[in-house]
Amino acid sequence: MKFGKSICILNVGGTKYAFSKEVIKDFPLSRVSRLHKCASEKEVLEVCDDYDRERNEFFFDRHSEAFCFIMLYVKYGKLRFVPQMCELSFYNEMIYWGLESSHLEFCCQRRLDDRMSDSYIHFSEEEDKLDKEMRGENLVTRVVTEREDSKWLERMRRTFDEPTSSVAAQILASVSVIFVIVSMVMLCASTLPDWKTAENNSVVEHRIIEAVCISWFTAECIVRFIVSRDKCEFVKRPLNIIDLLAITPYYISISMTMLTGENSQLQRAGVTLRVLRMMRIFWVIKLARHFLGLQTLGLTLRRCYREMVMLLLFICVPMAIFSALAQLLEHGLDLESPNEDYASIPAACWWVIISMTTVGYGDMYPITVPGRVLGGLCVVSGIVLLALPITFIYHSFVQCYHELKFRSARCTRSLSAEFLN
């Protein structure tokens, strides 16, 4: 911030807060911290509602009591709903200041999930605009850039990045899905013995289909990279990295084939080529661009990584205990006729996993009475321990689904309004 005094005053709904410029720079709320990056009053007014240069005061026409609770979260790290205030209204305030529903305490997250499930949210035009501005750290820059970009470039960007933005985008998404399905069918069928025999008789046709699919994916990736606003951010996105991992093996295998020649025996013996070929299974993840369910799954896994680690811990600790006891009861104590399936603790770990998850393949099982008692305890403990983190993951999944659904609906409404105007 290159203007004003060293002390900044935030006026939120009539309630004033004074902070230094250093505090504003590293403020936990993204909307407030963006004030430090503003170099002119014009940029400041894109973040707040009004600005008084003489007093260096920033005005925000927002709910003062809700911001007071948000400031308590900044100070103490716990965020709860304001009493006697609608959960959805408070959620809109959170979005405005740069917070997500995952910052809420678990009890309040459940209240928000229930309210969002029972109600259909109608956003006003002002809330739509403010909510879209808070989709990331650089959204103000994004809005300014959209105004400066040419119409055809913006249309191309929306066509490739937003499948619901237009009829052309829906057609493009459908074609991309068809290519993904064709490539997956070709990859899976290529492992069948009958298919390998047919492939030897019609190598050219199979290579043509494979080349066409790869050409489409490559062209799509290149165009999306060209029309993207931020090239560095484009490269860092997980879906774009997956696209690169799915496309690169084909060109590597082609290069290796050109270097080693067309010796089919050499290609079949090449472990590297087979690994690269199997990496094309990443193509199926490309469907996440076009299906809300896969996007919800990815967002849920990203937000619930602590619960997933806890679930893994709940599996590993009992597995170590039960596998050691099973090896001792089935093999270590019975010297005359030991159960060879439990000859080692790693071998017993496999039995513990399929028992705790109640799969029970039947390939190995205890034969002694103490071993069977231990197996019963293993199954019961697996049911209980695996069920504990599921509640957290379920509520996060519902929450992520509604967020993506409402975000997509708002995007569609805004694009429709823009088209009519």
Side-chain angles (χ1 to χ4, degrees):
M1 187 182 297
K2 301 179 181 179
F3 56 94
K5 303 177 182 178
S6 59
I7 300 299
C8 303
I9 300 176
L10 303 183
N11 189 332
V12 182
T15 305
K16 298 182 179 181
Y17 304 84
F19 302 101
S20 64
K21 288 186 177 181
E22 290 73 16
V23 174
I24 293 293
K25 179 181 179 180
D26 301 324
F27 209 78
L29 304 180
S30 60
R31 179 171 287 270
V32 178
S33 62
R34 286 210 307 270
L35 291 173
H36 187 271
K37 301 178 183 178
C38 297
S40 62
E41 290 191 22
K42 181 179 179 181
E43 295 182 5
V44 169
L45 294 177
E46 292 176 349
V47 180
C48 62
D49 296 305
D50 199 2
Y51 172 67
D52 188 343
R53 172 178 284 273
E54 295 181 359
R55 293 181 294 181
N56 200 29
E57 185 172 347
F58 304 88
F59 295 91
F60 296 89
D61 188 14
R62 307 301 297 184
H63 198 284
S64 59
E65 189 175 1
F67 185 75
C68 179
F69 272 68
I70 293 176
M71 288 299 299
L72 292 176
Y73 164 74
V74 173
K75 185 176 182 180
Y76 298 106
K78 293 185 178 180
L79 180 60
R80 294 186 174 90
F81 285 127
V82 178
Q84 307 301 324
M85 182 177 180
C86 176
E87 292 86 354
L88 301 181
S89 299
F90 186 77
Y91 179 53
N92 287 335
E93 295 293 324
M94 291 171 51
I95 294 176
Y96 177 83
W97 294 108
L99 298 177
E100 297 181 354
S101 55
S102 57
H103 293 97
L104 285 167
E105 293 294 299
F106 178 70
C107 57
C108 294
Q109 288 187 25
R110 295 188 61 179
R111 286 174 55 187
L112 181 61
D113 292 341
D114 296 338
R115 186 61 185 271
M116 293 177 71
S117 300
D118 297 336
S119 304
Y120 181 82
I121 303 180
H122 296 278
F123 291 92
S124 63
E125 295 181 359
E126 180 181 0
E127 290 170 338
D128 276 340
K129 179 180 177 181
L130 295 174
D131 190 44
K132 285 185 286 186
E133 288 179 353
M134 292 306 299
R135 290 181 184 174
E137 290 291 331
N138 301 321
L139 292 177
V140 173
T141 305
R142 177 180 177 182
V143 173
V144 175
T145 306
E146 285 182 358
R147 295 175 181 175
E148 296 176 353
D149 286 345
S150 59
K151 292 183 179 180
W152 71 270
L153 188 61
E154 179 64 23
R155 186 174 301 175
M156 287 285 293
R157 184 184 299 115
R158 289 180 175 178
T159 301
F160 279 88
D161 291 340
E162 301 174 3
T164 59
S165 61
S166 63
V167 177
Q170 294 177 0
I171 295 175
L172 185 66
S174 302
V175 174
S176 181
V177 170
I178 292 174
F179 274 105
V180 171
I181 295 175
V182 171
S183 60
M184 286 295 98
V185 171
M186 293 288 295
L187 178 62
C188 296
S190 63
T191 59
L192 297 175
D194 297 338
W195 181 273
K196 292 180 180 179
T197 303
E199 187 178 16
N200 294 331
N201 299 328
S202 57
V203 177
V204 178
E205 290 80 357
H206 298 159
R207 289 184 177 180
I208 291 176
I209 296 176
E210 188 177 28
V212 170
C213 294
I214 289 293
S215 300
W216 171 266
F217 296 146
T218 305
E220 182 183 9
C221 187
I222 293 175
V223 172
R224 292 180 63 254
F225 176 78
I226 293 175
V227 301
S228 62
R229 297 185 182 90
D230 190 345
K231 302 298 186 292
C232 295
E233 182 182 356
F234 177 87
V235 175
K236 295 178 182 178
R237 290 179 182 176
L239 287 178
N240 298 330
I241 296 175
I242 292 173
D243 287 345
L244 186 62
L245 292 176
I247 295 172
T248 305
Y250 174 80
Y251 294 103
I252 296 177
S253 61
I254 291 295
S255 301
M256 294 183 65
T257 302
M258 294 175 63
L259 295 176
T260 58
E262 295 295 332
N263 190 341
S264 59
Q265 298 296 330
L266 182 60
Q267 292 183 15
R268 292 171 185 171
V271 178
T272 305
L273 289 177
R274 290 197 293 268
V275 172
L276 292 175
R277 186 177 181 85
M278 283 299 109
M279 285 183 64
R280 297 174 194 172
I281 198 65
F282 286 112
W283 285 339
V284 73
I285 307 180
K286 290 172 63 66
L287 297 175
R289 296 186 184 277
H290 315 295
F291 293 98
L292 182 62
L294 293 177
Q295 297 175 13
T296 305
L297 178 61
L299 184 59
T300 303
L301 294 177
R302 188 177 66 181
R303 291 185 177 180
C304 296
Y305 69 93
R306 293 187 181 89
E307 287 76 11
M308 299 301 294
V309 172
M310 182 170 58
L311 180 62
L312 182 62
L313 185 65
F314 285 173
I315 294 176
C316 292
V317 173
M319 182 178 64
I321 297 174
F322 285 116
S323 60
L325 294 177
Q327 193 275 338
L328 177 65
L329 296 176
E330 290 295 315
H331 189 273
L333 297 180
D334 194 350
L335 300 178
E336 296 180 357
S337 57
N339 191 343
E340 296 300 332
D341 292 337
Y342 298 83
S344 64
I345 291 179
C349 286
W350 168 251
W351 170 78
V352 174
I353 292 176
I354 62 177
S355 298
M356 290 185 65
T357 55
T358 66
V359 176
Y361 289 117
D363 54 344
M364 56 187 300
Y365 51 87
I367 57 177
T368 63
V369 175
R372 292 177 179 178
V373 173
L374 180 68
L377 294 176
C378 180
V379 172
V380 174
S381 63
I383 295 174
V384 175
L385 293 176
L386 295 180
L388 291 178
I390 297 300
T391 303
F392 298 94
I393 299 174
Y394 164 75
H395 284 289
S396 179
F397 181 85
V398 173
Q399 175 181 311
C400 294
Y401 174 76
H402 285 292
E403 286 184 10
L404 292 176
K405 183 179 179 181
F406 295 144
R407 192 177 301 173
S408 177
R410 291 195 299 272
C411 180
T412 304
R413 289 198 301 270
S414 64
L415 290 173
S416 301
E418 182 180 348
F419 176 78
L420 293 175
N421 292 333

